[in-house]
Amino acid sequence: MPFFTSHLPFPVNYTLNPVRPANMGFSLPCLSQSLSFFLLLFHFHSTISSPLSSNYSSSSSSHLCAHHQSLSLLQFKQSFSINSSASWEDCQYPKTESWKVDTDCCLWDGVTCDLKTGHVTALDLSCSMLYGTLLPNNSLFSLHHLQQLDLSFNDFNSSHISSRFGQFSNLTHLNLSGSDLAGQVPSEISHLSKMVSLDLSWNDYVSVEPISFDKLSFDKLVRNLTKLRELDLSGVNMSLVVPDSLMNLSISLSSLKLNYCRLQGKLPSSMGKFKHLQYLHLGWNNLTGPIPYDFDELVSFDLSWNNYLNLEPISFDKLVRNLTKLRELDLSGVNMSLVVPDSLMNLSSSLSSLKLSDCRLQGKLPSSMGKFKHLQYLDLGWNNLTGPIPYDFEQLSELVSLHLSFNQYLSLEPISFDKIVQNLTKLRDLALGSVNMSLVAPNSLTNLSSSLSSLSLSNCGLQGKFPGNIFLLPNLESLYLSYNKGLTGSFPSSNLSNVLLGLGLSNTRISVYLENHLINNLKSLEYMLFLIVTL
C-alpha cells in the first residue's frame, strides 16, 4: 500500500530582528553602525529573495535537490521503459513523466526531500508503469539517505531482489509488492534494522521463479528487524520456514499477512503474545492443528483454506467473545463441523465481512442475522445449513455480496425474497444456487438492485416465464440460471447487450435467438458451454 505523498515546496522563512541602537544621532561611529545595519539588511533581503523560498527557478544552482541526486534519479528513469501493461488497470499515469532535466527533483512526482539538507528521503513510484530489469548497479542504490521506498505494482521482468537494498541503512518502509520480482530474498535485507514496514507480496503472478525464503534467511530477518510493525509476504514461497519461527517476530507487530506462502506444519499456539496485532492473514497455506483464540485487538482475521485446521466449539466461542473489535473474518475451508450455527450470533455486531464457505457447518441458519447491520460481504455457501432464509436478512442493507449457494436444505419463500431484493439496494453479487426457490415467481427478479453485476440462481427450482427485461439492469455482467427445468421464455440476443462475462441457461426451456454480436459480447468463450439455445 502507498505510504508517502509527493513533496510540496515549503517557503523558507527568515526572521530579522536587528537590535535598536541606543543613540539615534549621526556621529561617525553611529554612521558606521547604521551603514553596517543597512548592509546587513541588504544581505537578508537578498536571501529572502532567493529561489530557495516557495518560488523555484530553473537555475540548477538554486535547486534544493543536489545535482548528483537529480542525476541518479534521471538515470533510474532512463533504465526503464514506460508500458501501460506493466501496472494494474487502475494506475493512472507514470510518475516519472514530471522528471525533467534542469528542474528541481524535490518537486518531481513521487520524490520527497529533507528541507534542510536537500537529500532525497522518500521515493514513491508505485503504479508508475515501469518496465525493465532492476540491476544491482542501478543508480537507485546511490540514494543513500532514503527512508521510504515504494516500487510496488510495476514490472521488473523477474529481476532478483538485489542485496544492495540492504545498504539503505535508514530505510523504515520498503514496498516491492506486485512488481514481478523473483529469487531468494537476500540476507542483507535483515540489515535494515530501522525497518517498520516491509511488503514483498504478490510477486508470483508473472515470475516463473517466485520470491522465496529459506529457514536461515527468515530467522535472520525476524530476529534483526526488532522495530517491525507491518510484514506482508503474501505469495512468497516459505515452504522451508517452520511456522514456529513466526514467534520470533517483534511483539509490537500490528499486521502480519502471509497468504499463499506454502507454510506447512502446526499453527503456533502462543500467537496471542502479539498483543498489538490487528491484521492476521494466514490463508491458503497447509497449516494444521487447533486455532489459538487468545487475541484481543484483531480487526481482520483470515485463516481460510487451511483444510487441515480444526475449530472446536469451545475455541470458537472463546475466539468470537474475545474479538470484540473484529470487522473481517474469513475461515472458509476450516473444519467447523462441531460448531453450532447459532454461535455466529456472538460475533461482533460491527462485522463488515464474514466468509465461512465450505466449513461443514450444519444445522439451522440463525434467525437473527439482521443484527449485523454493517455487514457488506456474507459468504456461507457450500455448507449444510437448513431451514428458511429468515426475513431479517432485509435489515442487512449494506450488503454488497451475498453467497448462500449449495446449502441444499435452505429455502427462500416469496415474502422473504421480495423483502430482501427491495431493501438490499447496494447488492452487486447474489449467489443462491441450489437454494429452494420453487415458490418464488421469476418476475420478482426484476426488483433486484440496479447495481447488480452477478446473479447465480442455478438449480433453484424456479418455474414459470423468465422476465427478459432483467437484461435491462445496467450493470449486469453474468447470469446463471442453469438446471431450472421449469423456466420458460424466449428473447432475441440483442437483449443480452449488458451480459458481458457469462450466461448460463443449460437445462432450461429458455430460447435465445442468436445474432452475430452475441459472441463478441461474451468476453470469455468458455461461458458459451453453459448456453443451450434454440435456433
Side-chain angles (χ1 to χ4, degrees), residues 329-380:
L329 178 62
D330 191 348
L331 298 176
S332 299
V334 173
N335 185 355
M336 295 175 61
S337 58
L338 299 179
V339 174
V340 179
D342 276 341
S343 301
L344 302 179
M345 303 313 300
N346 295 322
L347 284 161
S348 166
S349 60
S350 299
L351 210 64
S352 64
S353 178
L354 177 61
K355 297 180 179 180
L356 302 177
S357 174
D358 198 15
C359 286
R360 309 183 204 178
L361 284 168
Q362 49 191 342
K364 193 173 181 180
L365 185 67
S367 59
S368 51
M369 291 290 290
K371 83 166 222 178
F372 300 114
K373 298 187 184 301
H374 303 282
L375 208 57
Q376 293 180 298
Y377 300 90
L378 176 60
D379 187 352
L380 298 174

Side-chain angles (χ1 to χ4, degrees), residues 341 361-366 383-390 407-411:
L361 284 168
Q362 49 191 342
K364 193 173 181 180
L365 185 67
N383 286 293
N384 294 304
L385 295 170
T386 62
I389 296 175
N407 285 278
Q408 296 184 2
Y409 301 104
L410 274 181
S411 61

Side-chain angles (χ1 to χ4, degrees), residues 220-279:
K220 283 184 178 180
L221 180 82
V222 298
R223 291 183 187 277
N224 291 346
L225 305 190
T226 56
K227 297 182 180 180
L228 200 62
R229 302 292 179 271
E230 300 171 354
L231 179 62
D232 191 345
L233 301 177
S234 298
V236 173
N237 184 356
M238 296 176 62
S239 58
L240 299 178
V241 175
V242 179
D244 277 340
S245 302
L246 302 178
M247 302 313 300
N248 294 322
L249 284 162
S250 166
I251 60 172
S252 300
L253 206 67
S254 64
S255 178
L256 178 61
K257 298 180 180 179
L258 304 177
N259 286 335
Y260 292 91
C261 285
R262 310 185 201 178
L263 284 166
Q264 49 191 341
K266 191 174 181 181
L267 187 66
S269 59
S270 52
M271 294 288 288
K273 85 165 200 174
F274 300 113
K275 299 295 183 184
H276 303 282
L277 200 59
Q278 293 181 302
Y279 299 87

